[in-house]
Amino acid sequence: QKEVEQDPGPLSVPEGAIVSLNCTYSNSAFQYFMWYRQYSRKGPELLMYTYSSGNKEDGRFTAQVDKSSKYISLFIRDSQPSDSATYLCAMSETSNSGYALNFGKGTSLLVTP
Amino acid sequence: DAGVTQSPTHLIKTRGQQVTLRCSPKSGHDTVSWYQQALGQGPQFIFQYYEEEERQRGNFPDRFSGHQFPNYSSELNVNALLLGDSALYLCASSLVHSGELFFGEGSRLTVL
């Protein structure tokens, strides 16, 4: 079993929809949780960075972490065609970047006009 | 403010050859990590450099080696290339006590 599980999709939604992306994990030592967006043939771009459980909002994006369930989510409101990309969840055991990020496989999202 | 830059962007090698990939970190960052991303997969951690030393290493063979220079830039070397080494190689930079990693666009390696 991989430490981080993420449904690869693809997920297709109409423009303006609310998108929900999710990851589960098995390592209870993970404390820092990130979401990256990756456009085709580009490097990952950091979207959200959160610590422990709770919610964090940034514009149209909301990240949620439920450590008791080992489950994290990213919500995108008012989705736009420019949001079409692969979304990667990542997590690490400490804030010290000496610990490697553990990534999910990524979920491919397509927002249609 | 330049972000993380990597070179070359694309390259093709044959089995058994050696390759060197280069990375310049984001301005002000002192730590460089390398990741391998196979097609359809998430990035896999190779190793990290800080103060010119390898600080942590993932589950990659000794054919993968690296170096960090005094200006914080870094190189990834892969010897005796295998077909399975074909992937996007990503460099990420950060501050040593921050978990926020910023990635470059990657170097796409094809091994024939």
Side-chain angles (χ1 to χ4, degrees):
Chain A
Q1 180 190 10
K2 282 182 66 71
E3 282 194 303
V4 182
E5 298 282 355
Q6 184 175 12
D7 187 338
L11 178 62
S12 182
V13 301
E15 184 176 356
I18 296 175
V19 175
S20 173
L21 304 167
N22 311 293
C23 287
T24 59
Y25 62 95
S26 58
N27 185 350
S28 58
F30 288 146
Q31 297 185 64
Y32 295 86
F33 304 91
M34 288 134 272
W35 285 95
Y36 284 85
R37 177 175 62 195
Q38 186 173 28
Y39 292 113
S40 181
R41 299 187 173 276
K42 298 290 187 181
E45 172 193 7
L46 181 62
L47 285 177
M48 301 290 281
Y49 177 76
T50 56
Y51 168 72
S52 194
S53 288
N55 294 358
K56 182 176 182 179
E57 187 174 322
D58 184 1
R60 296 185 296 113
F61 298 92
T62 299
Q64 286 187 353
V65 175
D66 182 350
K67 289 191 69 181
S68 62
S69 301
K70 297 190 180 67
Y71 187 88
I72 69 170
S73 301
L74 177 70
F75 297 95
I76 307 174
R77 292 183 298 280
D78 188 26
S79 56
Q80 302 296 311
S82 58
D83 294 327
S84 298
T86 295
Y87 289 79
L88 296 155
C89 64
M91 43 201 81
S92 67
E93 294 184 13
T94 78
S95 64
N96 185 330
S97 60
Y99 285 82
L101 289 185
N102 296 267
F103 281 88
K105 280 189 172 183
T107 299
S108 177
L109 171 67
L110 177 64
V111 181
T112 56
Chain B
D1 177 26
V4 179
T5 58
Q6 293 186 243
S7 64
T9 54
H10 296 83
L11 68 167
I12 300 174
K13 294 285 187 178
T14 56
R15 281 180 298 174
Q17 284 189 311
Q18 179 263 346
V19 67
T20 297
L21 309 177
R22 296 176 177 82
C23 172
S24 292
K26 184 177 169 64
S27 177
H29 284 182
D30 55 11
T31 302
V32 172
S33 303
W34 287 92
Y35 287 77
Q36 179 196 66
Q37 186 176 24
L39 197 62
Q41 303 294 317
Q44 297 292 314
F45 175 71
I46 303 175
F47 44 52
Q48 183 188 78
Y49 278 85
Y50 172 65
E51 292 188 336
E52 302 180 48
E53 291 193 358
E54 184 180 292
R55 194 165 177 228
Q56 191 185 10
R57 188 178 184 92
N59 189 26
F60 279 81
D62 291 344
R63 298 187 298 110
F64 290 77
S65 63
H67 189 77
Q68 186 180 34
F69 299 95
N71 67 353
Y72 307 118
S73 67
S74 177
E75 288 182 350
L76 164 66
N77 300 291
V78 187
N79 294 323
L81 285 168
L82 303 173
L83 295 179
D85 294 331
S86 295
L88 181 68
Y89 288 85
L90 294 162
C91 172
S93 75
S94 61
L95 293 170
V96 66
H97 296 301
S98 170
E100 293 186 76
L101 267 62
F102 295 86
F103 284 85
E105 298 292 353
S107 294
R108 186 166 298 280
L109 171 65
T110 301
V111 182
L112 301 177

